[in-house]
Amino acid sequence: MQQKKLYFAPMEGITGYVFRNAYAACYGGVDAYYTPFLSNPVPNQIERHDILPENNQGLQVIPQILTNKENIFRRIAEKLQEYGYPEVNLNLGCPSGTVVAKGRGCGALREPKELERLLDGIFQVSPLPVSLKCRIGISSEVEWEDLLLVILKFPITELIVHPRLQKEFYSGTVHLDAFRMAYDRILTLRQDRPLRLCYNGDIRTTDDLQKILREFPEIDAVMLGRGLLWNPELAELCQPVLQGNAPKETPTGPDRVRLRRFLNLLYEGYKNEMGRETPALAKLKELWSYLMIYTGHTPKEMRPLWKARTLAEYRDIVAMLV
């Protein structure tokens, strides 16, 4: 069987090219990075910088598109093809209320017939192979069976399933029964066509990963998102498990040398990319809302960082934290 892969999930506002390059320079274990979604037919400056090949050298990057218009999908995919990308991913999973209200992301799952119309249009015009990242419905698990029937009609290369409903956002228990439905059907379909299946959702430790692999040993990949922000070393710890071996021993504390380097690269990268202190500082603080779990700092210890108003203040505080 083909080697199982580990993907870094797209996280809007966090996992752009500066983050990807800094992470890859300091940590291992990630086989492919998915970009935060692209939604403009003509990429804006942030989107263009994120997908420029020169900003992603040495990384396997898969761009993700968020739209419910096949003509917009085509225009974005054509630009990605010009840049040399070999495939693209369609976002059917974003649970944001503003996105869903426009019929995009999870909003495209509201009506199976509308989903079929969208996918039919996309596969007629796409210049690149297409994979899907989706949830299992809007408000009820019952929706998933009809949605899955529609999705599997089309020649997708890979199905990435986050087995939660839109209304659940990122809380509550994942619905493994719904994932099993996709798992069983895709294993049957593989007899006639290649189709990869990826699991996404609540993998925060190697124990979590082992549980998923015991339940679904034939999956091709797992996608980690917040788990890699809570512990940047998690991908390295998970790789042996993906290959059928015992996990690496979990460190008793953070690797502070690598963490310092990672944070320094982010600091310099965001400062150069954004040119202004306020947005760069906001990005760095957002990441620390996850990293404080990794470093074990208390809310009281983090208070000076949240109050920092300049990058110089931020850097002095981080030097004390790490």
Side-chain angles (χ1 to χ4, degrees):
M1 182 179 173
Q2 192 172 6
Q3 180 173 313
K4 290 176 170 53
K5 302 291 187 181
L6 190 150
Y7 304 148
F8 206 132
M11 302 183 71
E12 185 66 14
I14 297 179
T15 58
Y17 78 94
V18 171
F19 179 96
R20 293 193 296 268
N21 280 281
Y23 183 90
C26 301
Y27 301 101
V30 172
D31 296 298
Y33 297 82
Y34 284 67
T35 71
F37 59 72
L38 308 167
S39 58
N40 295 299
V42 178
N44 61 33
Q45 183 175 348
I46 293 174
E47 292 176 335
R48 190 172 66 84
H49 285 176
D50 201 43
I51 58 177
L52 281 173
E54 55 263 40
N55 288 340
N56 294 283
Q57 294 183 24
L59 305 178
Q60 182 176 351
V61 174
I62 300 172
Q64 184 182 79
I65 296 176
L66 176 77
T67 187
N68 61 349
K69 308 290 185 187
E70 53 264 31
N71 61 323
I72 292 178
F73 184 97
R74 175 183 56 78
R75 291 178 65 184
I76 298 173
E78 286 174 348
K79 175 58 68 175
L80 293 168
Q81 186 180 43
E82 289 178 19
Y83 284 151
Y85 287 98
E87 63 179 302
V88 68
N89 180 260
L90 175 65
N91 181 320
L92 297 177
C94 179
S96 166
T98 53
V99 169
V100 170
K102 296 177 181 177
R104 302 184 298 177
C106 266
L109 304 177
R110 199 176 296 282
E111 291 291 341
K113 287 184 180 179
E114 283 302 302
L115 175 63
E116 186 165 3
R117 180 204 60 77
L118 172 64
L119 293 179
D120 185 58
I122 282 174
F123 278 93
Q124 286 190 45
V125 302
S126 180
L128 294 171
V130 180
S131 63
L132 302 184
K133 184 177 188 297
C134 71
R135 291 190 174 224
I136 60 172
I138 302 292
S139 59
S140 171
E141 287 181 75
V142 174
E143 301 167 32
W144 179 231
E145 184 170 5
D146 289 341
L147 293 170
L148 185 61
L149 284 172
V150 170
I151 288 168
L152 294 180
K153 287 181 181 181
F154 295 92
I156 59 175
T157 58
E158 185 165 19
L159 179 61
I160 303 167
V161 180
H162 182 162
R164 277 195 175 93
L165 299 163
Q166 183 270 334
K167 70 175 186 179
E168 295 169 323
F169 284 78
Y170 299 96
S171 64
T173 304
V174 290
H175 302 281
L176 292 184
D177 288 345
F179 187 82
R180 179 164 293 283
M181 187 184 298
Y183 180 79
D184 291 342
R185 292 189 181 175
I186 285 176
L187 288 188
T188 300
L189 286 174
R190 280 180 182 168
Q191 299 171 18
D192 300 313
R193 62 179 169 119
L195 176 56
R196 293 173 59 84
L197 177 64
C198 173
Y199 175 86
N200 172 222
D202 285 8
I203 296 179
R204 302 176 185 179
T205 67
T206 54
D207 286 343
D208 295 334
L209 176 58
Q210 286 176 311
K211 176 184 175 182
I212 293 300
L213 293 180
R214 283 195 296 268
E215 291 280 335
F216 310 106
E218 298 299 314
I219 59 172
D220 302 282
V222 296
M223 176 175 275
L224 278 59
R226 291 173 298 160
L228 285 173
L229 302 183
W230 284 319
N231 179 1
E233 300 175 55
L234 182 58
E236 295 173 343
L237 298 172
C238 284
Q239 274 294 345
V241 179
L242 287 172
Q243 313 318 324
N245 301 315
K248 288 184 177 180
E249 185 176 346
T250 303
T252 56
D255 183 335
R256 295 185 182 275
V257 173
R258 284 201 289 175
L259 180 59
R260 287 189 200 100
R261 184 183 178 215
F262 176 50
L263 291 169
N264 284 337
L265 289 172
L266 286 176
Y267 175 92
E268 295 296 338
Y270 287 144
K271 188 171 66 171
N272 293 334
E273 176 199 24
M274 314 196 89
R276 293 186 297 123
E277 287 208 357
T278 300
L281 189 57
K283 277 185 171 289
L284 292 163
K285 286 183 179 182
E286 183 177 12
L287 180 58
W288 265 102
S289 68
Y290 295 94
L291 287 178
M292 63 180 288
I293 296 173
Y294 175 59
T295 58
H297 287 103
T298 65
K300 181 179 179 180
E301 291 169 332
M302 293 299 299
R303 202 170 297 149
L305 186 139
W306 306 139
K307 292 182 177 181
R309 295 182 178 276
T310 67
L311 286 175
E313 280 184 75
Y314 164 86
R315 195 161 198 175
D316 289 343
I317 295 163
V318 167
M320 291 186 289
L321 291 174
V322 181

